[in-house]
Amino acid sequence: MEQINRIELQGNVGTVRLNDVGDNQVLHFSLATNYAYKSKEGDVIETTWHNVVAWKNRNMPDFSLIRKGTALNITGRLRVVKYTAADGTEKQIHEIMANRMTIINDSI
């Protein structure tokens, strides 16, 4: 049986942090996706924020072009990161490990 862990997102960038790791770069950023639907009260837009990690490679755009408001299409995989918080409690976060990104519109 083939196992699949693949996710595709299209949304707008929130916070951005670029780090140099040896000879490579890693970009950590948040991405907002919206889901619109109608309820009894009227139109509703539900925004979900995703944590994304991208390592510089040939499938990535120039990281200097990615800033708050940039529209991106991302493909990658979902992973869970577990850690111990300062207060000693065990925490976990879900993040997207991007393997391909395309800038849809680089204007804010």
Side-chain angles (χ1 to χ4, degrees):
M1 176 176 78
E2 182 180 350
Q3 297 180 1
I4 298 173
N5 179 357
R6 180 177 37 220
I7 190 164
E8 183 174 1
L9 299 171
Q10 186 166 306
N12 294 87
V13 173
T15 59
V16 179
R17 188 176 81 239
L18 179 62
N19 293 14
D20 291 321
V21 179
D23 292 338
N24 206 348
Q25 291 182 316
V26 62
L27 187 68
H28 295 262
F29 62 95
S30 58
L31 187 81
T33 58
N34 292 325
Y35 178 74
Y37 62 93
K38 294 186 183 292
S39 71
K40 290 187 238 180
E41 291 78 32
D43 293 340
V44 177
I45 296 178
E46 179 182 287
T47 301
T48 303
W49 286 94
H50 310 273
N51 296 312
V52 182
V53 177
W55 287 86
K56 188 70 175 167
N57 67 42
R58 63 182 173 83
N59 295 321
M60 298 295 170
D62 183 354
F63 284 169
S64 68
L65 300 174
I66 299 171
R67 60 189 182 278
K68 185 174 183 175
T70 303
L72 292 176
N73 181 281
I74 298 169
T75 57
R77 65 182 176 89
L78 183 65
R79 81 171 181 178
V80 177
V81 177
K82 296 178 182 180
Y83 65 96
T84 304
D87 64 2
T89 60
E90 294 293 320
K91 304 274 185 177
Q92 71 178 19
I93 59 169
H94 294 81
E95 62 186 14
I96 310 306
M97 292 298 299
N99 56 31
R100 181 178 302 262
M101 296 192 318
T102 305
I103 295 175
I104 304 300
N105 175 3
D106 62 351
S107 64
I108 297 177

